[in-house]
Amino acid sequence: MSESKFVKGVVCGALIGGALTMLDNKTRNAVVQKTNSLGRQIKYYSTNRQELKATLEEQVTKWKSFYEQINSDATYISQKVNEVKEMTPQVKTLLTDTKEAFAQSKEEYKSIVDPESEEFIVKQ
């Protein structure tokens, strides 16, 4: 019982909202123009069914192509994400090794340069 009240309320709200928007002159003119255009198209395609069929097939082909492109892009992105996931441990190891190498080099440079005189000490 409450579902039927809900549906009735939604329908009544939509009708009232639609009626209120029709008070605006621009909205009313746009609705009239769209309705007239739709009527002309229905009348045209009712007499030219082959053209309607060709137009629909063209739209279906276009949307299939669009879907295939999106699917291809999603697959490509997924592959690249997986590659990055596989590379991450390797990159982390590389960065850690590089950091350690720089730390060792820093210590070696400190031992080469005398901090008191800031001159280079030649190791023999």
Side-chain angles (χ1 to χ4, degrees), residues 10-41:
V10 169
V11 170
C12 287
L15 290 174
I16 292 170
L20 288 175
T21 59
M22 294 305 280
L23 295 175
D24 180 44
N25 192 29
K26 287 182 180 180
T27 303
R28 195 170 45 249
N29 288 338
V31 169
V32 168
Q33 287 177 352
K34 285 285 188 181
T35 304
N36 288 340
S37 174
L38 184 61
R40 284 191 299 272
Q41 285 180 348

Side-chain angles (χ1 to χ4, degrees), residues 30-102:
V31 169
V32 168
Q33 287 177 352
K34 285 285 188 181
T35 304
N36 288 340
S37 174
L38 184 61
R40 284 191 299 272
Q41 285 180 348
I42 290 171
K43 191 174 183 179
Y44 176 79
Y45 285 124
S46 67
T47 58
N48 298 306
R49 293 177 190 237
Q50 290 300 325
E51 191 170 335
L52 174 64
K53 182 179 176 184
T55 302
L56 290 175
E57 287 174 354
E58 181 181 314
Q59 289 295 318
V60 167
T61 302
K62 182 176 90 173
W63 284 105
K64 279 183 180 179
S65 174
F66 176 75
Y67 170 77
E68 289 170 359
Q69 182 64 40
I70 293 290
N71 193 25
S72 172
D73 290 348
T75 302
Y76 176 77
I77 290 170
S78 176
Q79 289 173 348
K80 291 302 175 187
V81 167
N82 288 336
E83 287 178 17
V84 168
K85 284 181 181 177
E86 291 172 6
M87 286 177 46
T88 301
Q90 295 169 352
V91 171
K92 184 178 177 183
T93 303
L94 177 66
L95 289 175
T96 304
D97 293 346
T98 304
K99 179 182 173 185
E100 290 172 0
F102 277 117

Side-chain angles (χ1 to χ4, degrees), residues 112-123:
I112 295 173
V113 176
D114 182 10
E116 299 284 323
S117 64
E118 296 185 11
E119 293 180 12
F120 289 101
I121 299 173
V122 180
K123 287 191 171 184

Side-chain angles (χ1 to χ4, degrees), residues 1-18:
M1 179 86 84
S2 65
E3 286 184 29
S4 64
K5 288 182 183 178
F6 176 74
V7 173
K8 287 179 186 178
V10 169
V11 170
C12 287
L15 290 174
I16 292 170

